[in-house]
Amino acid sequence: MRSLSIAALAVCALVTSCSSTRYGQDIPPRAVVRDGVAITLCDQKLTVFRSGRKVKDYPISSSKFGIGATNGSRRTPLGIHAVSDKKGEGQPKGMVFKGCSPTGEVVGVDARGRDPIVTRVIQLAGLESFNRNSHGRRIYIHGTPEERNIGRPASYGCIRMKSDDIVDLYRRVHRGMPVAIESCTQATYMKAEADATKRSIEVPSAIVANLPKDGPRYHSRKRYSRSRYARRSRLARSKRYSRSKKSSRRLAVRKKRRR
């Protein structure tokens, strides 16, 4: 069985770099994960493989905005990723995470008005040229309290799972494990796994050693320096002062007229 190194990932990039926002394209993968995780977006499933055999699968929820790797798009990227870090060991189900750190708040399943990251966080790093920003975009596999939406696209780019399922998956994955996100069904991916001519995706140890553990967060909003922010604040205060001064003058005029 031939293995596919990260340097040769361009072989399958013709398929995995698809920028379509639709999930109806059942495109067979050109390379497969024999030992790792495959996420098939057409049927919203996550499958764990060992030696080319399925050992476990789970329903998931990917982006409701479709497929894509552009910053700020809130879409789920395709292609080869690797588990870069895991957060949440020993935390209770429903624990809310912010910035990959537990906040101490625990929410129940389908809690009204709440849509945080909960229970466990599995961070992903993109290994292909078009998805290298996945870590900076904070594309995670994580738990969600909105379990009613699992099985259909409903996220903002991440892969959502039920709390029970993410706890089980958390035990099965490790840093450096390959994660393939494909635009196909699980059945199509399973056929590719059974095809002996398909290349196997492996992450070299040198790549694993350099995987980021916590990357900078992508900000779509415009950022201001402290000096600019201070100027804007002073301007806002002066406008408020002028408005209050005018209103006080008007009030004084009204009192004089009444007299």
Side-chain angles (χ1 to χ4, degrees), residues 9 12 16 29 31-41 45-47 49 77-83 124 128 131 141 159 177-184 189 193 201:
L9 284 174
C12 62
T16 58
V32 293
V33 175
R34 305 290 182 187
D35 293 282
V37 173
I39 299 171
T40 51
L41 299 182
K45 289 185 178 179
L46 184 150
T47 309
F49 289 94
L78 294 177
I80 309 303
H81 295 73
V83 175
L124 299 179
E128 299 187 70
N131 64 17
I141 303 173
I159 303 299
M177 177 176 281
V179 177
I181 305 177
E182 298 286 349
S183 176
C184 66
Y189 201 90
E193 283 282 354
I201 298 168

Side-chain angles (χ1 to χ4, degrees), residues 116-127:
I117 294 172
V118 300
T119 307
R120 299 288 187 276
V121 180
I122 299 173
Q123 295 176 303
L124 299 179
L127 301 182

Side-chain angles (χ1 to χ4, degrees), residues 10-83:
V11 174
C12 62
L14 292 176
V15 171
T16 58
S17 61
C18 172
S19 61
S20 171
T21 59
R22 299 174 60 189
Y23 289 109
Q25 298 182 355
D26 194 0
I27 304 173
R30 293 192 176 183
V32 293
V33 175
R34 305 290 182 187
D35 293 282
V37 173
I39 299 171
T40 51
L41 299 182
C42 279
D43 54 4
Q44 298 287 288
K45 289 185 178 179
L46 184 150
T47 309
V48 180
F49 289 94
R50 291 288 185 273
S51 301
R53 295 184 179 182
K54 181 181 74 172
V55 296
K56 189 74 175 180
D57 63 359
Y58 316 88
I60 57 99
S61 177
S62 59
S63 173
K64 60 184 177 182
F65 299 100
I67 296 171
T70 305
N71 288 336
S73 66
R74 296 182 175 181
R75 295 175 179 175
T76 298
L78 294 177
I80 309 303
H81 295 73
V83 175

Side-chain angles (χ1 to χ4, degrees), residues 187-199:
T188 298
Y189 201 90
M190 293 292 290
K191 289 180 182 178
E193 283 282 354
D195 188 351
T197 64
K198 293 289 184 180
R199 296 190 177 187

Side-chain angles (χ1 to χ4, degrees), residues 2-258:
R2 292 180 298 170
S3 64
L4 183 65
S5 66
I6 301 303
L9 284 174
V11 174
C12 62
L14 292 176
V15 171
T16 58
S17 61
C18 172
S19 61
S20 171
T21 59
R22 299 174 60 189
Y23 289 109
Q25 298 182 355
D26 194 0
I27 304 173
R30 293 192 176 183
V32 293
V33 175
R34 305 290 182 187
D35 293 282
V37 173
I39 299 171
T40 51
L41 299 182
C42 279
D43 54 4
Q44 298 287 288
K45 289 185 178 179
L46 184 150
T47 309
V48 180
F49 289 94
R50 291 288 185 273
S51 301
R53 295 184 179 182
K54 181 181 74 172
V55 296
K56 189 74 175 180
D57 63 359
Y58 316 88
I60 57 99
S61 177
S62 59
S63 173
K64 60 184 177 182
F65 299 100
I67 296 171
T70 305
N71 288 336
S73 66
R74 296 182 175 181
R75 295 175 179 175
T76 298
L78 294 177
I80 309 303
H81 295 73
V83 175
S84 58
D85 206 0
K86 304 192 304 178
K87 303 290 185 180
E89 181 72 31
Q91 296 296 332
K93 296 176 184 178
M95 172 61 69
V96 175
F97 284 78
K98 189 173 183 180
C100 288
S101 299
T103 63
E105 179 188 7
V106 177
V107 298
V109 175
D110 291 327
R112 291 187 178 182
R114 297 303 311 277
D115 186 21
I117 294 172
V118 300
T119 307
R120 299 288 187 276
V121 180
I122 299 173
Q123 295 176 303
L124 299 179
L127 301 182
E128 299 187 70
S129 59
F130 62 89
N131 64 17
R132 291 192 187 279
N133 60 346
S134 290
H135 198 271
R137 290 180 60 207
R138 301 293 177 103
I139 301 299
Y140 305 144
I141 303 173
H142 66 79
T144 177
E146 290 193 339
E147 295 190 1
R148 62 185 179 277
N149 292 327
I150 295 297
R152 62 185 179 88
S155 81
Y156 292 86
C158 291
I159 303 299
R160 296 180 176 183
M161 299 180 68
K162 296 179 180 179
S163 286
D164 288 338
D165 291 344
I166 191 67
V167 169
D168 185 66
L169 176 67
Y170 188 91
R171 302 190 189 105
R172 297 175 184 271
V173 301
H174 56 79
R175 177 175 163 84
M177 177 176 281
V179 177
I181 305 177
E182 298 286 349
S183 176
C184 66
T185 61
Q186 186 189 65
T188 298
Y189 201 90
M190 293 292 290
K191 289 180 182 178
E193 283 282 354
D195 188 351
T197 64
K198 293 289 184 180
R199 296 190 177 187
S200 176
I201 298 168
E202 297 179 358
V203 183
S205 57
I207 299 294
V208 176
N210 292 320
L211 287 174
K213 286 192 174 182
D214 195 15
R217 185 168 186 174
Y218 173 78
H219 290 275
S220 59
R221 296 180 180 178
K222 194 172 183 180
R223 304 183 73 178
Y224 299 95
S225 64
R226 288 187 177 181
S227 59
R228 185 172 181 180
Y229 177 77
R231 288 196 299 270
R232 288 170 63 88
S233 298
R234 287 196 298 269
L235 180 61
R237 287 197 299 270
S238 64
K239 287 182 178 179
R240 287 197 299 269
Y241 175 75
S242 61
R243 286 196 297 267
S244 62
K245 195 172 182 180
K246 287 180 181 178
S247 61
S248 62
R249 287 176 180 174
R250 290 173 184 172
L251 183 61
V253 170
R254 288 176 183 174
K255 287 183 177 178
K256 286 183 179 179
R257 288 178 180 176
R258 289 176 184 176

